[in-house]
Amino acid sequence: MSDGNNNNTGMGACCLSGVLQEGQRPTGRVDNIGGLDTYIAEPKDGSKAKTVVIISDVFGWTLPNTRLLADRYALSGLYVYIPDIHTGDSLPASFLTTIEPPLSTRASLSLSEKASNAASVPLTLGPWLLRHREAVSAPLIDGFVNALRTLPGTGKIGAVGFCWGGRYAILQARGPKITEPGDVGGCDAAFAAHPSLLDIPGDLEAVARPLGLALGTEDSLLDGQAREGIKAVLHRKRQDAGLECEVREYEGQVHGFALRGDWSAERDKEAMDEATRQGVEWMVKYLA
């Protein structure tokens, strides 16, 4: 926290936790868009009228969970892209079972194993976050959005982000940056689940496009004070500027629940499904 009015959320072991979805295979294809390798999930009619860019978490564009989610969005008529914003430098999915394994696995670890895992978090996340700081990542995302605008048939564009990518989805909700050569980046609507590294209220003050949020009540990076701060800013923007916004809180859910929750646990699966519906409905409504 920087002062009495600002709250800067961080990142920690919870950003490396969750469950890898197995037993299902993504059905999309891979192409190169704007110089970035990209997973593409197409709706049945192939229409790009409602286009969605998923900005991934630290595990990147190849994580099965993220690709399966893109496939689910496409089933609702959305044309979905997951660009490799990390340019080949995403964290390996193996960290889900080593640095911050599921609770059932953690219970069987020795003290030395737990200590070793805990020590790995700053050693892993710190250098990675430096390599993928805003000055590096934001221009890549803006450039990708600009590249999509040049593709025939592309209509409105929405940004959907999770964890690390959640903040960048929120930044896209500020709309395009107006420059002399032309508009840069900026989407028509955004949805973010459990965003990390969020500056409250700073990152929200400039939001000018419809924004939906899915937050867990047990998210260690977004405690009650942070969530109340988010709601206060968006409520004021709704009152003062007519901003379309929505904040849903998911009882008992931790950081990462909307993407890396445990499908074998009924409560967690229900929360994941509901957050997916929330994101899909937000995109369908505001990209129309």
Side-chain angles (χ1 to χ4, degrees):
M1 186 174 294
S2 57
D3 56 41
N5 299 312
N6 288 72
N7 187 353
N8 294 75
T9 65
M11 293 189 74
C14 55
C15 296
L16 304 178
S17 65
V19 177
L20 188 65
Q21 302 304 331
E22 298 176 327
Q24 299 185 55
R25 177 169 294 185
T27 58
R29 61 184 177 87
V30 172
D31 203 341
N32 190 285
I33 307 292
L36 296 178
D37 289 335
T38 304
Y39 179 82
I40 301 173
E42 303 174 70
K44 192 171 184 179
D45 63 3
S47 172
K48 299 175 185 173
K50 299 174 183 176
T51 290
V52 169
V53 179
I54 291 183
I55 308 173
S56 67
D57 61 6
V58 296
F59 297 107
W61 75 298
T62 62
L63 189 75
N65 303 35
T66 313
R67 293 188 172 192
L68 290 169
L69 192 70
D71 292 348
R72 292 184 65 180
Y73 271 61
L75 291 174
S76 295
L78 300 165
Y79 200 103
V80 188
Y81 299 89
I82 311 174
D84 180 18
I85 296 301
H86 306 150
T87 58
D89 187 41
S90 302
L91 294 181
S94 60
F95 284 177
L96 287 172
T97 55
T98 55
I99 287 183
E100 188 73 0
L103 287 173
S104 57
T105 302
R106 252 177 281 172
S108 64
L109 295 178
S110 68
L111 288 176
S112 63
E113 288 172 322
K114 290 178 181 178
S116 175
N117 289 349
S120 298
V121 173
L123 295 176
T124 299
L125 273 179
W128 189 91
L129 289 172
L130 181 61
R131 293 194 301 274
H132 300 282
R133 57 196 180 276
E134 184 177 345
V136 174
S137 299
L140 286 172
I141 297 168
D142 287 342
F144 186 81
V145 171
N146 278 14
L148 292 185
R149 290 197 178 110
T150 69
L151 299 181
T154 299
K156 290 187 176 181
I157 301 175
V160 173
F162 301 89
C163 306
W164 177 88
R167 176 174 181 258
Y168 288 100
I170 292 170
L171 296 183
Q172 285 295 307
R174 295 176 172 183
K177 302 179 187 73
I178 310 301
T179 68
E180 190 171 331
D183 293 353
V184 177
C187 288
D188 298 290
F191 172 77
H194 35 78
S196 57
L197 297 173
L198 191 64
D199 176 27
I200 306 167
D203 287 339
L204 300 163
E205 291 287 4
V207 168
R209 300 290 188 270
L211 173 64
L213 298 175
L215 310 177
T217 62
E218 300 302 317
D219 189 334
S220 60
L221 299 183
L222 287 170
D223 60 15
Q225 180 181 353
R227 296 196 306 277
E228 288 304 313
I230 290 171
K231 289 188 286 186
V233 176
L234 294 182
H235 175 74
R236 174 166 49 79
K237 292 187 71 66
R238 184 188 296 115
Q239 296 292 107
D240 296 347
L243 177 71
E244 294 289 341
C245 51
E246 173 184 74
V247 179
R248 289 194 200 175
E249 294 180 276
Y250 289 77
E251 191 66 34
Q253 293 303 309
V254 300
H255 189 76
F257 79 91
L259 186 65
R260 306 189 304 267
D262 186 357
W263 283 11
S264 67
E266 188 60 31
R267 183 182 181 186
D268 293 347
K269 185 178 186 303
E270 287 177 1
M272 290 178 68
D273 288 342
E274 182 55 36
T276 298
R277 279 192 294 271
Q278 181 189 356
V280 166
E281 289 172 2
W282 194 260
M283 290 293 111
V284 168
K285 180 177 181 178
Y286 289 106
L287 298 182

